[in-house]
Amino acid sequence: PCIDHNEFTNLNQEGFDRTYSGFRSRANLSWKASEDALLYYTWSQGFRAGGFNRSFGTPGDSPLAEGSGPWQAQANTHGGWSAPLAYGPDTLINNELGWKTMWLGERLQWNGAVYQEEWNNAQIDAFAARVLSGATINGGNYRVRGLETFARARAAALTLEAGVAWNHSELVKEAAFFWADGTPINFSSLQTSTGQKLANPAGTIGSSLAGAPAFQGNFRARYEFAFDAFRAFAQIGVMHQADSLSTTDRLTLDLQGKSVAYDLPAFTTYDAALGARKDGWFVQLYGENLTDTRAELFANYSLGYKAVTVNRPRTIGLRFSYKFDGR
C-alpha cells in the first residue's frame, strides 16, 4: 500500500480517489447585415477539473472546531466541521452578443459586445484567520455582466483609437458549509474567540470578485508624417482603471483591525512615443507611465503585513531595429 510515513497511514484506504469529467463546447451564430456590418451571438462553456489539497487544517480556537471555548458550542453539538480533502470542478457558461462594423468608407471601425457569464461552484482560495486555514474549496456561484467596445477612426495621417469595458460581478449563491452531522452551518450565529462576527468565508450574497474593476478604458492618438526621407510618427496614449478589491476574504483582519480585502485605488497612466523608419531601419523613443504614477495592482496579507505590488515606474527608452529584407 501507499504509506504516509509521517503518520504511517495507509493512504489507499482513505478514499482519495477522484474522477472528474466535463464537457466544453462553443456555438456561434453570425449575420452579415451588410458588407460593413456583422452581428453575432456566441454561447460557450468552460470546465475546470477538481483537485486535492495538500493540507487544510482548522485552527484549534476556530468556532468550526470542537473545543472548550464557549464560541465552540455549536461545533461541539454538531461534531465540528471537517475540511474537504478535495474540491470539485467549477463551470462557466458565457452568453455574448456582439457587433463588428465599418463606417465612412472604412475610415471608422466600431466593434463591441455585451455578455453575461455564470460561474458556478467557483474554485477559490479560502482563508480566514481564527476560522479556517488556507486551501482551495468550491465557493458559490458568481454572475458577471459586462460591455466592452472599441472604436478606431482614421482621418488622413491621424488615427484615433479608444476602448472601454464595464463589468459588474456579484455572488448570487453562497457556498454551502455543513457540520459533521449534515446540519447546515449558519455563520451569522457564530463568532470567533475574540468576539468577531462571522459571515460565509467563501463570500456573501452581492459581494464582487477580486481584481475585477468596474471600468477600464484607454485612448491613443497617432499622427504619421514625412520627415525628409523618413516615415515618422508621434503617438500619445492614456489608460484608466477604476478601483477594485484585492481579495474575496472579508473576514481576516490585519494588526490594525482593518479588513485585508484592501481597496486598490483607481489610477490613470500616460504613455508617448516618437519614431521614424527608412528602408529596413526603425528607431523609436518612448516613455511609459510619464507621470510616474504608483498604481496598486495587487495587495495581500499572506506574510502578516500588507504587501503591495505596483506598476512599473516612469520608463524612458530607445529602440532600434533592422529588417534585413528591407521591408
Side-chain angles (χ1 to χ4, degrees):
C2 180
I3 301 296
D4 174 4
H5 287 281
N6 290 323
E7 300 177 356
F8 296 97
T9 302
N10 184 345
L11 299 180
N12 290 347
Q13 298 178 356
E14 295 299 309
F16 291 154
D17 294 37
R18 295 289 190 277
T19 299
Y20 300 114
S21 62
F23 187 73
R24 290 183 296 182
S25 60
R26 183 177 185 272
N28 180 267
L29 179 66
S30 62
W31 175 46
K32 195 169 185 180
S34 70
E35 288 299 317
D36 298 319
L38 173 72
L39 303 178
Y40 71 88
Y41 166 72
T42 297
W43 179 87
S44 55
Q45 290 178 302
F47 171 85
R48 178 168 51 179
F52 294 91
N53 289 306
R54 292 187 301 172
S55 63
F56 192 174
T58 302
D61 63 346
S62 169
L64 301 179
E66 295 179 282
S68 58
W71 62 89
Q72 297 172 309
Q74 290 194 46
N76 293 331
T77 300
H78 299 288
W81 177 71
S82 297
L85 298 172
Y87 53 92
D90 58 357
T91 61
L92 181 74
I93 296 179
N94 173 62
N95 285 276
E96 178 179 335
L97 182 65
W99 62 93
K100 299 180 180 181
T101 62
M102 302 291 287
W103 306 77
L104 305 176
E106 299 188 356
R107 293 192 298 274
L108 175 63
Q109 178 184 357
W110 181 38
N111 301 339
V114 292
Y115 53 85
Q116 176 171 294
E117 298 175 347
E118 302 286 349
W119 183 14
N120 297 328
N121 300 317
Q123 295 176 10
I124 64 171
D125 290 330
F127 174 83
R130 298 190 179 92
V131 180
L132 51 86
S133 300
T136 302
I137 67 171
N138 288 106
N141 298 346
Y142 283 92
R143 175 177 295 143
V144 181
R145 289 172 173 166
L147 180 152
E148 56 184 28
T149 184
F150 167 82
R152 176 189 290 122
R154 297 186 180 91
L158 180 65
T159 301
L160 303 177
E161 295 181 347
V164 295
W166 290 272
N167 279 286
H168 175 73
S169 61
E170 62 177 335
L171 186 70
V172 295
K173 180 182 178 181
E174 292 188 11
F177 286 77
F178 298 92
W179 295 113
D181 63 3
T183 304
I185 299 178
N186 179 9
F187 285 96
S188 64
S189 65
L190 299 175
Q191 64 180 22
T192 66
S193 59
T194 59
Q196 179 189 358
K197 295 294 185 180
L198 290 187
N200 192 312
T204 56
I205 294 294
S207 58
S208 62
L209 286 168
F215 175 83
Q216 291 177 296
N218 63 81
F219 173 81
R220 186 178 74 165
R222 180 185 179 98
Y223 182 70
E224 299 178 338
F225 58 95
F227 179 72
D228 289 338
F230 295 88
R231 290 178 294 160
F233 73 91
Q235 177 178 296
I236 58 172
V238 58
M239 191 276 286
H240 177 78
Q241 179 173 300
D243 65 319
S244 62
L245 292 176
S246 61
T247 177
T248 56
D249 178 4
R250 305 297 199 275
L251 297 182
T252 303
L253 304 178
D254 60 20
L255 292 177
Q256 290 72 41
K258 298 180 180 179
S259 171
V260 300
Y262 301 117
D263 179 71
L264 305 177
F267 64 89
T268 304
T269 59
Y270 300 87
D271 303 325
L274 182 66
R277 69 173 64 247
K278 180 183 178 181
D279 299 327
W281 291 96
F282 175 74
V283 60
Q284 174 179 285
L285 174 67
Y286 66 91
E288 300 174 349
N289 191 13
L290 294 175
T291 55
D292 204 23
T293 299
R294 290 294 182 270
E296 297 185 14
L297 305 180
F298 180 67
N300 72 90
Y301 193 71
S302 60
L303 297 178
Y305 59 85
K306 182 180 180 181
V308 179
T309 301
V310 299
N311 62 333
R312 294 183 65 181
R314 181 191 297 116
T315 303
I316 307 297
L318 188 64
R319 292 192 180 103
F320 291 94
S321 67
Y322 178 74
K323 292 185 178 181
F324 289 94
D325 60 6
R327 298 178 183 176

